[in-house]
Amino acid sequence: MKIALIGMPAIGKTSIGRKLARHCDYPFIDLDQRLTQDLGCSIPEYFERMGEAAFRDAEARLLAQLAQQPGDCVLATGGGVVLRPENRAILTAHYHVIYLTAKPEALLRRVRNDQTRPLLKVADPLAKLQELYAQRHPLYEATADVQVAADCVAMRSVLKTIETDLCTLGVELKDIDQA
Ligand code: S3P
């Protein structure tokens, strides 16, 4: 099975995805990390040099490529992946999509002084998070098979909730404490 994690920036898609992949014994793919390799520079640098639209093009191309690859995986996406309808269509067609939910206020703590997220390098990050949330929450909801609250909850219990869902789908998991 292909599993994708979607949700707002800084909700923990990469760290939860990496652990989940170990528990499922699936390869882990981080879309942003792969993009950084492909683009040959960091995401903030790419935004600055080429602009957001060029980044979205590269993101959409890579997502389409990955969906065609055979085999199981856990994919951590970038927070803006749901913006393009073609990306949403790929995710729903090829992946079991898990939306890690969080309110902007809960994310604010995690993104303070964050230099790695170009969209949040602004004077008022809370206002920006609220704006992104208002735009994206309906898109995340429409794309997801399942929603898991990931703010104000320990990573361990987020993983447990995800794994309970995956068990009902027949995914075999290693013991949570051993992986
Ligand atoms: C983006 C989120 C980032 C990264 C890029 C754009 C966004 O990923 O893809 O900076 O539009 O929200 P994270 O969700 O891991 O921060």
Side-chain angles (χ1 to χ4, degrees):
M1 176 182 296
K2 285 183 164 34
I3 299 164
L5 300 179
I6 63 171
M8 289 284 285
I11 185 56
K13 299 178 293 284
T14 298
S15 40
I16 291 170
R18 189 173 285 125
K19 280 220 153 187
L20 181 65
R22 272 201 271 141
H23 292 186
C24 297
D25 209 8
Y26 286 0
F28 173 66
I29 304 169
D30 185 83
L31 198 64
D32 281 344
Q33 199 196 325
R34 285 285 296 270
L35 275 168
T36 303
Q37 285 167 15
D38 291 1
L39 300 173
C41 66
S42 72
I43 291 175
E45 258 177 81
Y46 196 77
F47 261 69
E48 217 166 289
R49 276 204 253 138
M50 308 296 289
E52 181 173 347
F55 172 79
R56 299 292 172 209
D57 288 342
E59 182 180 52
R61 266 197 311 274
L62 180 58
L63 183 71
Q65 277 170 24
L66 292 173
Q68 294 311 318
Q69 288 180 2
D72 303 320
C73 71
V74 174
L75 175 73
T77 61
V81 77
V82 293
L83 292 172
R84 291 203 173 170
E86 67 267 31
N87 291 353
R88 300 199 296 273
I90 287 172
L91 287 168
T92 49
H94 296 275
Y95 291 83
H96 179 65
V97 182
I98 299 168
Y99 171 21
L100 300 177
T101 67
K103 290 278 156 41
E105 292 72 17
L107 295 168
L108 184 64
R109 264 176 290 124
R110 304 186 188 205
V111 300
R112 271 190 210 284
N113 306 317
D114 187 336
Q115 295 304 307
T116 66
R117 295 184 167 92
L119 292 178
L120 298 175
K121 285 208 251 171
V122 291
D124 187 349
L126 179 58
K128 187 68 192 178
L129 283 166
Q130 284 166 336
E131 178 196 321
L132 294 176
Y133 183 82
Q135 177 193 31
R136 294 175 179 182
H137 175 65
L139 303 177
Y140 293 136
E141 278 198 308
T143 311
D145 295 292
V146 59
Q147 298 187 30
V148 177
D151 52 352
C152 316
V153 191
M155 192 204 282
R156 198 183 163 85
S157 65
V158 176
L159 275 167
K160 275 212 164 137
T161 308
I162 294 175
E163 292 179 357
T164 304
D165 168 56
L166 294 178
C167 277
T168 66
L169 300 172
V171 176
E172 280 182 31
L173 296 159
K174 292 199 227 163
D175 190 299
I176 192 163
D177 293 320
Q178 286 170 25

PDB file of all heavy atoms in Angstrom, residues 20-40:
ATOM      1  N   LEU A  20       6.492   5.852  11.051  1.00  0.00           N
ATOM      2  CA  LEU A  20       5.445   4.974  10.529  1.00  0.00           C
ATOM      3  C   LEU A  20       6.034   3.996   9.504  1.00  0.00           C
ATOM      4  O   LEU A  20       5.706   2.815   9.497  1.00  0.00           O
ATOM      5  CB  LEU A  20       4.348   5.835   9.879  1.00  0.00           C
ATOM      6  CG  LEU A  20       3.165   5.076   9.293  1.00  0.00           C
ATOM      7  CD1 LEU A  20       2.389   4.362  10.402  1.00  0.00           C
ATOM      8  CD2 LEU A  20       2.231   6.041   8.541  1.00  0.00           C
ATOM      9  N   ALA A  21       6.909   4.514   8.660  1.00  0.00           N
ATOM     10  CA  ALA A  21       7.517   3.658   7.643  1.00  0.00           C
ATOM     11  C   ALA A  21       8.290   2.519   8.292  1.00  0.00           C
ATOM     12  O   ALA A  21       8.259   1.382   7.814  1.00  0.00           O
ATOM     13  CB  ALA A  21       8.442   4.499   6.754  1.00  0.00           C
ATOM     14  N   ARG A  22       8.952   2.824   9.403  1.00  0.00           N
ATOM     15  CA  ARG A  22       9.698   1.761  10.094  1.00  0.00           C
ATOM     16  C   ARG A  22       8.745   0.715  10.657  1.00  0.00           C
ATOM     17  O   ARG A  22       9.001  -0.478  10.590  1.00  0.00           O
ATOM     18  CB  ARG A  22      10.548   2.359  11.210  1.00  0.00           C
ATOM     19  CG  ARG A  22      11.913   2.787  10.687  1.00  0.00           C
ATOM     20  CD  ARG A  22      12.912   2.886  11.816  1.00  0.00           C
ATOM     21  NE  ARG A  22      12.883   4.225  12.371  1.00  0.00           N
ATOM     22  CZ  ARG A  22      12.976   4.508  13.656  1.00  0.00           C
ATOM     23  NH1 ARG A  22      13.105   3.547  14.550  1.00  0.00           N
ATOM     24  NH2 ARG A  22      12.943   5.740  14.073  1.00  0.00           N
ATOM     25  N   HIS A  23       7.625   1.193  11.204  1.00  0.00           N
ATOM     26  CA  HIS A  23       6.663   0.246  11.775  1.00  0.00           C
ATOM     27  C   HIS A  23       6.017  -0.624  10.703  1.00  0.00           C
ATOM     28  O   HIS A  23       5.664  -1.770  10.944  1.00  0.00           O
ATOM     29  CB  HIS A  23       5.582   0.996  12.563  1.00  0.00           C
ATOM     30  CG  HIS A  23       6.089   1.649  13.800  1.00  0.00           C
ATOM     31  ND1 HIS A  23       5.283   2.263  14.714  1.00  0.00           N
ATOM     32  CD2 HIS A  23       7.346   1.790  14.285  1.00  0.00           C
ATOM     33  CE1 HIS A  23       6.016   2.745  15.698  1.00  0.00           C
ATOM     34  NE2 HIS A  23       7.269   2.479  15.453  1.00  0.00           N
ATOM     35  N   CYS A  24       5.825  -0.048   9.522  1.00  0.00           N
ATOM     36  CA  CYS A  24       5.205  -0.817   8.426  1.00  0.00           C
ATOM     37  C   CYS A  24       6.249  -1.614   7.658  1.00  0.00           C
ATOM     38  O   CYS A  24       5.894  -2.462   6.839  1.00  0.00           O
ATOM     39  CB  CYS A  24       4.527   0.121   7.421  1.00  0.00           C
ATOM     40  SG  CYS A  24       3.187   1.089   8.072  1.00  0.00           S
ATOM     41  N   ASP A  25       7.517  -1.277   7.863  1.00  0.00           N
ATOM     42  CA  ASP A  25       8.602  -1.844   7.065  1.00  0.00           C
ATOM     43  C   ASP A  25       8.437  -1.466   5.588  1.00  0.00           C
ATOM     44  O   ASP A  25       8.598  -2.297   4.692  1.00  0.00           O
ATOM     45  CB  ASP A  25       8.648  -3.370   7.252  1.00  0.00           C
ATOM     46  CG  ASP A  25      10.052  -3.903   7.075  1.00  0.00           C
ATOM     47  OD1 ASP A  25      10.979  -3.074   6.969  1.00  0.00           O
ATOM     48  OD2 ASP A  25      10.221  -5.134   7.017  1.00  0.00           O
ATOM     49  N   TYR A  26       8.078  -0.229   5.372  1.00  0.00           N
ATOM     50  CA  TYR A  26       7.945   0.327   4.024  1.00  0.00           C
ATOM     51  C   TYR A  26       9.069   1.339   3.808  1.00  0.00           C
ATOM     52  O   TYR A  26       9.518   1.971   4.766  1.00  0.00           O
ATOM     53  CB  TYR A  26       6.625   1.102   3.877  1.00  0.00           C
ATOM     54  CG  TYR A  26       5.351   0.299   3.785  1.00  0.00           C
ATOM     55  CD1 TYR A  26       5.344  -1.094   3.838  1.00  0.00           C
ATOM     56  CD2 TYR A  26       4.125   0.964   3.653  1.00  0.00           C
ATOM     57  CE1 TYR A  26       4.146  -1.794   3.763  1.00  0.00           C
ATOM     58  CE2 TYR A  26       2.936   0.259   3.580  1.00  0.00           C
ATOM     59  CZ  TYR A  26       2.945  -1.110   3.634  1.00  0.00           C
ATOM     60  OH  TYR A  26       1.765  -1.795   3.557  1.00  0.00           O
ATOM     61  N   PRO A  27       9.460   1.566   2.558  1.00  0.00           N
ATOM     62  CA  PRO A  27      10.387   2.670   2.322  1.00  0.00           C
ATOM     63  C   PRO A  27       9.728   4.010   2.670  1.00  0.00           C
ATOM     64  O   PRO A  27       8.515   4.164   2.472  1.00  0.00           O
ATOM     65  CB  PRO A  27      10.661   2.609   0.811  1.00  0.00           C
ATOM     66  CG  PRO A  27      10.075   1.345   0.320  1.00  0.00           C
ATOM     67  CD  PRO A  27       9.087   0.855   1.326  1.00  0.00           C
ATOM     68  N   PHE A  28      10.544   4.933   3.165  1.00  0.00           N
ATOM     69  CA  PHE A  28      10.044   6.275   3.485  1.00  0.00           C
ATOM     70  C   PHE A  28      10.546   7.261   2.436  1.00  0.00           C
ATOM     71  O   PHE A  28      11.725   7.266   2.089  1.00  0.00           O
ATOM     72  CB  PHE A  28      10.538   6.708   4.871  1.00  0.00           C
ATOM     73  CG  PHE A  28      10.205   8.142   5.192  1.00  0.00           C
ATOM     74  CD1 PHE A  28       8.883   8.530   5.335  1.00  0.00           C
ATOM     75  CD2 PHE A  28      11.195   9.103   5.319  1.00  0.00           C
ATOM     76  CE1 PHE A  28       8.554   9.849   5.615  1.00  0.00           C
ATOM     77  CE2 PHE A  28      10.886  10.421   5.599  1.00  0.00           C
ATOM     78  CZ  PHE A  28       9.559  10.791   5.755  1.00  0.00           C
ATOM     79  N   ILE A  29       9.637   8.080   1.950  1.00  0.00           N
ATOM     80  CA  ILE A  29      10.021   9.128   0.985  1.00  0.00           C
ATOM     81  C   ILE A  29       9.526  10.463   1.509  1.00  0.00           C
ATOM     82  O   ILE A  29       8.351  10.603   1.852  1.00  0.00           O
ATOM     83  CB  ILE A  29       9.373   8.880  -0.403  1.00  0.00           C
ATOM     84  CG1 ILE A  29       9.732   7.491  -0.930  1.00  0.00           C
ATOM     85  CG2 ILE A  29       9.824   9.953  -1.400  1.00  0.00           C
ATOM     86  CD1 ILE A  29       8.923   7.076  -2.150  1.00  0.00           C
ATOM     87  N   ASP A  30      10.443  11.421   1.568  1.00  0.00           N
ATOM     88  CA  ASP A  30      10.055  12.777   1.948  1.00  0.00           C
ATOM     89  C   ASP A  30      10.091  13.629   0.682  1.00  0.00           C
ATOM     90  O   ASP A  30      11.148  13.823   0.081  1.00  0.00           O
ATOM     91  CB  ASP A  30      11.026  13.312   3.004  1.00  0.00           C
ATOM     92  CG  ASP A  30      10.584  14.669   3.497  1.00  0.00           C
ATOM     93  OD1 ASP A  30       9.728  14.711   4.382  1.00  0.00           O
ATOM     94  OD2 ASP A  30      11.066  15.682   2.967  1.00  0.00           O
ATOM     95  N   LEU A  31       8.918  14.102   0.290  1.00  0.00           N
ATOM     96  CA  LEU A  31       8.816  14.810  -0.989  1.00  0.00           C
ATOM     97  C   LEU A  31       9.734  16.044  -1.027  1.00  0.00           C
ATOM     98  O   LEU A  31      10.430  16.272  -2.017  1.00  0.00           O
ATOM     99  CB  LEU A  31       7.347  15.222  -1.205  1.00  0.00           C
ATOM    100  CG  LEU A  31       6.925  15.585  -2.622  1.00  0.00           C
ATOM    101  CD1 LEU A  31       7.030  14.410  -3.568  1.00  0.00           C
ATOM    102  CD2 LEU A  31       5.491  16.121  -2.631  1.00  0.00           C
ATOM    103  N   ASP A  32       9.735  16.805   0.051  1.00  0.00           N
ATOM    104  CA  ASP A  32      10.572  18.014   0.069  1.00  0.00           C
ATOM    105  C   ASP A  32      12.057  17.678   0.013  1.00  0.00           C
ATOM    106  O   ASP A  32      12.834  18.378  -0.627  1.00  0.00           O
ATOM    107  CB  ASP A  32      10.301  18.836   1.334  1.00  0.00           C
ATOM    108  CG  ASP A  32       9.024  19.647   1.210  1.00  0.00           C
ATOM    109  OD1 ASP A  32       8.534  19.819   0.083  1.00  0.00           O
ATOM    110  OD2 ASP A  32       8.522  20.102   2.248  1.00  0.00           O
ATOM    111  N   GLN A  33      12.419  16.593   0.693  1.00  0.00           N
ATOM    112  CA  GLN A  33      13.839  16.223   0.682  1.00  0.00           C
ATOM    113  C   GLN A  33      14.251  15.768  -0.721  1.00  0.00           C
ATOM    114  O   GLN A  33      15.318  16.138  -1.209  1.00  0.00           O
ATOM    115  CB  GLN A  33      14.063  15.116   1.703  1.00  0.00           C
ATOM    116  CG  GLN A  33      15.506  14.974   2.105  1.00  0.00           C
ATOM    117  CD  GLN A  33      15.729  13.646   2.808  1.00  0.00           C
ATOM    118  OE1 GLN A  33      14.849  13.164   3.539  1.00  0.00           O
ATOM    119  NE2 GLN A  33      16.871  13.047   2.596  1.00  0.00           N
ATOM    120  N   ARG A  34      13.376  14.984  -1.362  1.00  0.00           N
ATOM    121  CA  ARG A  34      13.666  14.555  -2.740  1.00  0.00           C
ATOM    122  C   ARG A  34      13.737  15.759  -3.683  1.00  0.00           C
ATOM    123  O   ARG A  34      14.561  15.816  -4.589  1.00  0.00           O
ATOM    124  CB  ARG A  34      12.600  13.575  -3.221  1.00  0.00           C
ATOM    125  CG  ARG A  34      12.742  12.188  -2.630  1.00  0.00           C
ATOM    126  CD  ARG A  34      13.892  11.419  -3.273  1.00  0.00           C
ATOM    127  NE  ARG A  34      13.629  11.188  -4.683  1.00  0.00           N
ATOM    128  CZ  ARG A  34      12.999  10.118  -5.160  1.00  0.00           C
ATOM    129  NH1 ARG A  34      12.603   9.166  -4.342  1.00  0.00           N
ATOM    130  NH2 ARG A  34      12.771   9.976  -6.445  1.00  0.00           N
ATOM    131  N   LEU A  35      12.849  16.732  -3.440  1.00  0.00           N
ATOM    132  CA  LEU A  35      12.858  17.928  -4.284  1.00  0.00           C
ATOM    133  C   LEU A  35      14.156  18.710  -4.107  1.00  0.00           C
ATOM    134  O   LEU A  35      14.737  19.199  -5.081  1.00  0.00           O
ATOM    135  CB  LEU A  35      11.677  18.839  -3.911  1.00  0.00           C
ATOM    136  CG  LEU A  35      10.357  18.506  -4.583  1.00  0.00           C
ATOM    137  CD1 LEU A  35       9.215  19.275  -3.936  1.00  0.00           C
ATOM    138  CD2 LEU A  35      10.420  18.803  -6.077  1.00  0.00           C
ATOM    139  N   THR A  36      14.600  18.795  -2.874  1.00  0.00           N
ATOM    140  CA  THR A  36      15.854  19.500  -2.602  1.00  0.00           C
ATOM    141  C   THR A  36      16.994  18.858  -3.387  1.00  0.00           C
ATOM    142  O   THR A  36      17.814  19.550  -3.986  1.00  0.00           O
ATOM    143  CB  THR A  36      16.151  19.465  -1.085  1.00  0.00           C
ATOM    144  OG1 THR A  36      15.046  20.042  -0.412  1.00  0.00           O
ATOM    145  CG2 THR A  36      17.391  20.234  -0.740  1.00  0.00           C
ATOM    146  N   GLN A  37      17.004  17.523  -3.419  1.00  0.00           N
ATOM    147  CA  GLN A  37      18.043  16.818  -4.200  1.00  0.00           C
ATOM    148  C   GLN A  37      17.884  17.125  -5.680  1.00  0.00           C
ATOM    149  O   GLN A  37      18.836  17.474  -6.372  1.00  0.00           O
ATOM    150  CB  GLN A  37      17.921  15.313  -4.018  1.00  0.00           C
ATOM    151  CG  GLN A  37      18.427  14.806  -2.686  1.00  0.00           C
ATOM    152  CD  GLN A  37      17.986  13.353  -2.430  1.00  0.00           C
ATOM    153  OE1 GLN A  37      17.548  12.639  -3.331  1.00  0.00           O
ATOM    154  NE2 GLN A  37      18.098  12.918  -1.197  1.00  0.00           N
ATOM    155  N   ASP A  38      16.665  17.003  -6.174  1.00  0.00           N
ATOM    156  CA  ASP A  38      16.420  17.189  -7.609  1.00  0.00           C
ATOM    157  C   ASP A  38      16.714  18.618  -8.047  1.00  0.00           C
ATOM    158  O   ASP A  38      17.231  18.850  -9.141  1.00  0.00           O
ATOM    159  CB  ASP A  38      14.956  16.875  -7.967  1.00  0.00           C
ATOM    160  CG  ASP A  38      14.628  15.397  -7.830  1.00  0.00           C
ATOM    161  OD1 ASP A  38      15.527  14.623  -7.448  1.00  0.00           O
ATOM    162  OD2 ASP A  38      13.468  15.027  -8.091  1.00  0.00           O
ATOM    163  N   LEU A  39      16.345  19.580  -7.199  1.00  0.00           N
ATOM    164  CA  LEU A  39      16.495  20.987  -7.590  1.00  0.00           C
ATOM    165  C   LEU A  39      17.930  21.473  -7.401  1.00  0.00           C
ATOM    166  O   LEU A  39      18.327  22.499  -7.953  1.00  0.00           O
ATOM    167  CB  LEU A  39      15.553  21.872  -6.760  1.00  0.00           C
ATOM    168  CG  LEU A  39      14.053  21.558  -6.899  1.00  0.00           C
ATOM    169  CD1 LEU A  39      13.241  22.374  -5.901  1.00  0.00           C
ATOM    170  CD2 LEU A  39      13.564  21.811  -8.322  1.00  0.00           C
ATOM    171  N   GLY A  40      18.672  20.747  -6.593  1.00  0.00           N
ATOM    172  CA  GLY A  40      20.073  21.113  -6.378  1.00  0.00           C
ATOM    173  C   GLY A  40      20.253  22.285  -5.433  1.00  0.00           C
ATOM    174  O   GLY A  40      21.347  22.856  -5.350  1.00  0.00           O
TER     175      GLY A  40
END
